[in-house]
């Protein structure tokens, strides 16, 4: 697994699309990008295993990967998508295994690096809290809509 040569600004461009990081200002995004480690994985490689200690966030730069739980594929991820953003914050074990489907290139941001960044600049924490609150509100709305649809399918009022 070698570190590939990438064009200037490549990593920053890739990570600025991540919901959780999108709220950060340019200087903080530059700092985050400087901490990302680029890794190449071969088809079938396990990028992260279910139950592993949280190490950080993976961003898919190229290729695809399957997300598996209890030996069943529950999702596929591709370029621009990410795995483990909540692991950056909560310190809980991985809930799924991620396996490279083909030649996969990821960017990895460790939890330690991310938490160091939050400690160095507390205003970043506030921006992230606001972003998480917005995501939580959206998930609550989606859950309420799904529950209403389920009740309608069951013929309940």
């Amino acid at each position: 697994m070698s570190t590939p040569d990438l064009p200037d600004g490549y990593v920053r461009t890739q990570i600025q699309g991540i919901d959780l990081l999108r709220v950060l200002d340019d200087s903080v995004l530059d700092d985050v990008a400087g901490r990302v480690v680029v890794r190449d994985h071969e088809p079938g490689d396990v990028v992260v295993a279910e139950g592993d200690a949280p190490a950080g966030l993976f961003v898919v730069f190229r290729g695809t990967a399957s997300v598996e739980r209890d030996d069943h594929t529950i999702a596929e991820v591709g370029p621009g998508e990410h795995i483990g953003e909540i692991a950056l914050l909560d310190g809980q074990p991985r809930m799924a295994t991620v396996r490279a489907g083909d030649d996969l290139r990821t960017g990895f941001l460790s939890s330690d690096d991310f938490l160091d960044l939050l400690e160095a600049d507390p205003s970043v924490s506030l921006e992230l809290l606001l972003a998480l609150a917005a995501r939580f509100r959206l998930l609550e709305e989606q859950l309420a809509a799904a529950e209403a649809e389920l009740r309608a399918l069951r013929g309940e009022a």
Side-chain angles (χ1 to χ4, degrees):
M1 189 169 26
S2 63
T3 302
D5 292 324
L6 299 171
D8 288 343
Y10 177 85
V11 171
R12 186 182 187 292
T13 299
Q14 296 299 313
I15 65 165
Q16 72 187 15
I18 298 171
D19 290 342
L20 184 64
L21 304 180
R22 168 177 303 143
V23 299
L24 304 177
D25 67 31
D26 289 340
S27 65
V28 176
L29 277 172
D30 289 339
D31 191 2
V32 169
R35 297 169 187 249
V36 169
V37 176
V38 178
R39 299 177 177 171
D40 285 333
H41 311 270
E42 295 183 14
D45 284 354
V46 172
V47 177
V48 64
E50 185 174 354
D52 282 356
L57 168 79
F58 290 89
V59 182
V60 177
F61 291 162
R62 180 190 69 215
T64 60
S66 60
V67 180
E68 304 164 358
R69 189 175 298 151
D70 300 324
D71 296 322
H72 294 20
T73 298
I74 58 172
E76 297 282 333
V77 292
E81 295 182 291
H82 52 280
I83 306 145
E85 70 181 1
I86 300 304
L88 284 174
L89 301 170
D90 75 358
Q92 297 298 308
R94 297 290 182 165
M95 295 173 52
T97 295
V98 177
R99 187 180 315 277
D102 50 16
D103 288 332
L104 180 70
R105 176 172 290 162
T106 62
F108 174 74
L109 175 63
S110 77
S111 297
D112 289 342
D113 279 345
F114 190 69
L115 293 174
D116 287 347
L117 179 69
L118 295 181
E119 287 178 11
D121 187 353
S123 67
V124 172
S125 297
L126 179 58
E127 292 174 33
L128 291 175
L129 282 172
L130 293 171
L132 288 171
R135 287 183 75 186
F136 183 73
R137 183 178 300 277
L138 177 62
L139 288 172
E140 285 286 318
E141 291 169 359
Q142 291 172 337
L143 180 59
E147 287 173 340
E149 185 176 330
L150 183 57
R151 281 192 303 274
L153 288 172
R154 290 181 177 160
E156 300 171 2

